[in-house]
Amino acid sequence: MPQTATARPTVSRRKSYFRKHTILYAMLLPPILFAFIFSYLPMAGLVMAFQDYQPWTGFTRSEWVGLEHFKLIFTLPDTIQVTFNTLVIAVGKIAANMVVPFIFALLLNEVRHVGYKRTVQTLVYLPHFMNWVIIGGILMDVLSPSGGLINRGMSMLGVEPVFFLGEGGWFRFTMIASDVWKEFGFSTIVYLAALAGINPSLYEAAEADGANRWKQTVYITIPMLMPIMIVLGTLSLGNVLNAGFEQILTLYSPLVYEKGDIIDTYVYRMGLVSGQYSFGTAFGLLKSIVSCLFIIAAYRLAYRYANYRVF
Amino acid sequence: MYYKTSGYKWFSVGNHILLGIISLMCILPLFHILAVSLSDKAAVSANLVNFWPVDFTMDAYHKVISNRDFSSSLWNSVMRVVLGTAVSMLLVILAAYPLSKDSGVLKGRNAIAWYFVFTMLFSGGMIPSYILMSKLHLINHMGALILPGAVNVWNMILLMNFFRNVPKELEEAALMDGANHMVTLFRIFLPISLPALVTLSLFTLVGHWNSWFDGLIYMRQDNYPLATYLQTIIVETNLVNLINSASDMDKITQRSFKAAQIFIAALPVIVLYPFLQRFFVKGMVLGAVKE
């Protein structure tokens, strides 16, 4: 009943107002607790990067070694190779994942038949929703040098069979190409949304001035899409050290470790598989710090030049 | 009009064909796997299968379904998806609602928001997380797959933005009528944001169905979820493939067997996909393009 609320004295009304808002903090409690346990506690575990951590002695009694592991990282030849591999694959993916969806969105925008457009969109989004195990399984079958679909097609054209997943140079190419194949459709969504937002009167005016579709694209569409492309490109800067852990872990093999091993897979193999916990953690920590700096820089740039904010 | 010129007409024809080819390229590999899984092993070993089953047989599927490892990992995945989505959505809602308020109502709002966002930027990494899990006795426990990623900060931001667009007047009216925040959340915000909730639930669900790496490190072999189980099969046979050429008969049946498992693992996503698609474009754009 609303009457009782207005009849109450001011003090208790303020009290009830306060009580209403404490519920908000009570709601936040479980998520804060979860984030603390599962995200912040592991950060405390990073001290092991400065220890010679042994599982049976634990954090409290393991020997402190200072920056020993970091010194080792900087002297190991593996480090240079692995970092180089990471950068090559990641930069390749970033570049291709910027250009391909952009062009694809422009082409798709020219389709006037709604049904055809929607069908194309439905089909190209699909690979995004399958994980790298499924895609990896498909790729291994399709790319197999003996009787895989692609190599069979290539031999019909008279091309020698290629061992896409077993030869270092091809392996990198395959990683980039398959990542683009999986994601380009989905990345297109943002550009399509931006295209839909362009004011049609701009095109009408250009039309009246005698501009053909090519001119309209060059002088209206592309400039209008530039800001969003710059934002996406800037934000992907935060990913230069992430070359795709799950993809590479699924698809690589000892044959291509030299050219296919990236920082994340190297940390996994050294740290968890070979049990060099402290070394793996130190390498991971180094990567996390650099990545974090890149992400912060990327968001700052995106905010300053394109006014982009997360919240 | 530009689209009446003959140059543009030619472009348009070529464009339609090109886009058709590109979209076929996205699904033909899946058709090939389906065809391999439904073909007789003689045809598979002779590399005769393209996009249509040769000598149709369900043998591979019978073999997969009668495989106990497969059915138990399928069960693990189903459990994981159901429990994981429920827990995650609950936590995301509980975080997003208070954070959608102004800092005048929720004092310290920005600090709390950064507390969550920081977990996206920086993490303890694989090894400290693994040690934490073993200290919590969560190794080989469903909790290890569900709990660590439960507070999905990205979903939280999307939902927070969605809640902010709920008209202020509705909320004020409810508070005036004596509703507290719990009631407002459940009676007003959640029903209004149903499309957003469905989108995020579907994303969470697909995420749980698809993830395999946590299963690989936190679970023991007999308790793997489907995606992890599949990964071990694919990687193992991959190593075999690298050493021998694909000629002996037993491995060829493995190829159909593997194809059948891949297809079954992809099936829920393919079936869910039409429902998913109705919602996700909105959700994606909501997160990516603002103002």
Side-chain angles (χ1 to χ4, degrees):
Chain A
M1 282 186 290
Q3 283 90 343
T4 46
T6 43
R8 272 180 192 164
T10 347
V11 182
S12 87
R13 211 161 96 197
R14 195 173 296 151
K15 214 177 191 175
S16 81
Y17 184 80
F18 178 73
R19 200 173 292 152
K20 272 174 189 167
H21 290 318
T22 34
I23 295 183
L24 292 176
Y25 294 96
M27 283 180 186
L28 277 168
L29 206 60
I32 285 180
L33 212 65
F34 264 73
F36 180 76
I37 296 173
F38 293 104
S39 297
Y40 285 93
L41 278 186
M43 290 182 203
L46 287 170
V47 293
M48 65 195 284
F50 307 96
Q51 292 181 326
D52 185 19
Y53 180 84
Q54 303 296 340
W56 51 90
T57 47
F59 293 110
T60 41
R61 282 179 295 139
S62 285
E63 201 188 329
W64 289 92
V65 295
L67 296 175
E68 211 56 42
H69 298 296
F70 294 94
K71 281 182 194 150
L72 183 63
I73 290 170
F74 283 107
T75 51
L76 273 183
D78 282 358
T79 309
I80 297 169
Q81 183 65 45
V82 162
T83 311
F84 179 73
N85 294 345
T86 309
L87 287 175
V88 169
I89 298 175
V91 170
K93 282 183 181 174
I94 289 172
N97 277 323
M98 267 175 83
V99 175
V100 176
F102 184 78
I103 295 173
F104 184 76
L106 287 181
L107 291 179
L108 196 59
N109 194 42
E110 297 301 316
V111 175
R112 315 195 79 81
H113 191 282
V114 180
Y116 191 76
K117 192 171 176 177
R118 208 164 279 163
T119 312
V120 170
Q121 277 176 280
T122 307
L123 296 181
V124 296
Y125 294 160
L126 185 62
H128 169 82
F129 290 96
M130 293 188 283
N131 66 359
W132 276 113
V133 172
I134 294 172
I135 305 247
I138 295 174
L139 285 178
M140 280 174 194
D141 192 285
V142 171
L143 295 177
S144 154
S146 57
L149 203 59
I150 303 279
N151 272 310
R152 261 192 284 151
M154 279 167 39
S155 74
M156 281 199 298
L157 300 170
V159 185
E160 287 288 298
V162 173
F163 198 175
F164 289 99
L165 293 170
E167 207 265 295
W170 279 109
F171 181 79
R172 284 179 188 161
F173 169 79
T174 312
M175 291 306 101
I176 295 169
S178 57
D179 189 64
V180 171
W181 175 79
K182 187 176 186 286
E183 302 296 344
F184 83 92
F186 204 71
S187 322
T188 308
I189 293 178
V190 181
Y191 291 119
L192 287 177
L195 280 168
I198 297 176
N199 190 346
S201 61
L202 287 174
Y203 291 110
E204 282 157 23
E207 189 92 52
D209 288 345
N212 61 18
R213 192 57 172 168
W214 174 248
K215 287 247 164 83
Q216 293 176 22
T217 306
V218 171
Y219 294 107
I220 299 173
T221 315
I222 292 179
M224 292 299 274
L225 288 185
M226 263 319 168
I228 184 101
M229 196 176 181
I230 290 168
V231 169
L232 293 179
T234 315
L235 294 184
S236 62
L237 206 75
N239 275 325
V240 283
L241 291 182
N242 294 320
F245 175 65
E246 298 207 339
Q247 176 193 23
I248 290 177
L249 193 65
T250 306
L251 288 165
Y252 81 165
S253 62
L255 287 180
V256 290
Y257 277 170
E258 197 195 329
K259 288 191 170 175
D261 222 357
I262 56 169
I263 296 175
D264 290 328
T265 53
Y266 185 72
V267 167
Y268 172 68
R269 286 199 298 120
M270 290 298 125
L272 272 185
V273 180
S274 319
Q276 301 178 43
Y277 291 119
S278 284
F279 175 76
T281 304
F283 209 144
L285 174 62
L286 210 57
K287 188 216 150 194
S288 288
I289 291 172
V290 177
S291 279
C292 188
L293 294 177
F294 269 114
I295 296 171
I296 291 171
Y299 274 91
R300 289 231 157 151
L301 285 176
Y303 178 61
R304 178 174 302 170
Y305 294 107
N307 208 20
Y308 176 89
R309 272 170 300 147
V310 190
F311 56 82
Chain B
M1 295 298 261
Y2 65 83
Y3 49 84
K4 283 182 181 156
T5 62
S6 73
Y8 188 81
K9 274 182 186 157
W10 279 111
F11 161 76
S12 194
V13 171
N15 189 28
H16 277 75
I17 294 171
L18 179 69
L19 293 178
I21 292 172
I22 291 173
S23 35
L24 280 181
M25 269 167 50
C26 288
I27 52 153
L28 279 183
L30 204 63
F31 270 104
H32 175 66
I33 288 297
L34 180 62
V36 168
S37 71
L38 290 171
S39 295
D40 187 65
K41 67 179 175 186
V44 176
S45 62
N47 288 323
L48 292 173
V49 185
N50 292 325
F51 303 109
W52 202 253
V54 180
D55 301 329
F56 182 88
T57 167
M58 295 284 280
D59 279 356
Y61 286 89
H62 284 304
K63 211 172 145 193
V64 169
I65 288 162
S66 59
N67 182 337
R68 186 157 307 151
D69 285 347
F70 182 85
S71 50
S72 80
S73 64
L74 180 67
W75 174 245
N76 282 335
S77 275
V78 171
M79 287 291 288
R80 174 189 184 159
V81 162
V82 173
L83 293 173
T85 308
V87 171
S88 181
M89 284 311 290
L90 180 70
L91 288 171
V92 165
I93 290 168
L94 285 179
Y97 178 75
L99 290 175
S100 70
K101 305 292 172 222
D102 296 334
S103 44
V105 176
L106 185 79
K107 294 210 165 44
R109 177 192 168 271
N110 286 340
I112 299 170
W114 272 109
Y115 172 85
F116 287 114
V117 171
F118 186 68
T119 64
M120 286 207 294
L121 302 180
F122 191 77
S123 75
M126 209 183 296
I127 297 159
S129 303
Y130 178 83
I131 291 169
L132 175 76
M133 285 301 157
S134 67
K135 292 249 157 92
L136 293 174
H137 301 288
L138 285 176
I139 299 292
N140 207 26
H141 188 283
M142 190 62 80
L145 306 180
I146 291 172
L147 303 178
V151 183
N152 184 324
V153 180
W154 189 241
N155 285 355
M156 193 189 92
I157 292 173
L158 289 182
L159 193 61
M160 187 183 87
N161 283 332
F162 205 93
F163 281 164
R164 280 187 165 181
N165 291 332
V166 173
K168 279 266 183 305
E169 292 76 13
L170 268 179
E171 188 193 349
E172 275 161 17
L175 288 176
M176 202 78 89
D177 283 350
N180 64 25
H181 279 297
M182 266 307 182
V183 177
T184 322
L185 172 61
F186 280 98
R187 293 276 184 80
I188 294 171
F189 279 78
L190 293 188
I192 283 185
S193 354
L194 206 61
L197 292 174
V198 173
T199 316
L200 295 182
S201 303
L202 283 171
F203 272 127
T204 312
L205 189 155
V206 171
H208 271 296
W209 177 261
N210 274 337
S211 65
W212 55 275
F213 182 68
D214 47 1
L216 186 70
I217 58 175
Y218 296 139
M219 304 302 265
R220 277 200 288 273
Q221 193 119 34
D222 49 356
N223 240 339
Y224 278 166
L226 187 62
T228 313
Y229 166 72
L230 210 61
Q231 200 263 351
T232 56
I233 288 175
I234 287 169
V235 170
E236 275 163 27
T237 47
N238 173 43
L239 285 175
V240 177
N241 272 339
L242 291 173
I243 296 155
N244 313 325
S245 65
S247 56
D248 69 282
M249 291 301 278
D250 185 41
K251 208 161 65 230
I252 302 305
T253 45
Q254 269 194 25
R255 191 172 156 199
S256 292
F257 187 52
K258 218 168 83 179
Q261 286 173 318
I262 290 169
F263 192 77
I264 293 176
L267 199 61
V269 175
I270 298 171
V271 171
L272 261 179
Y273 182 61
F275 301 97
L276 211 76
Q277 214 216 344
R278 266 177 46 212
F279 295 106
F280 71 69
V281 176
K282 207 176 188 177
M284 260 291 283
V285 174
L286 195 74
V289 198
K290 279 192 302 170
E291 281 133 74

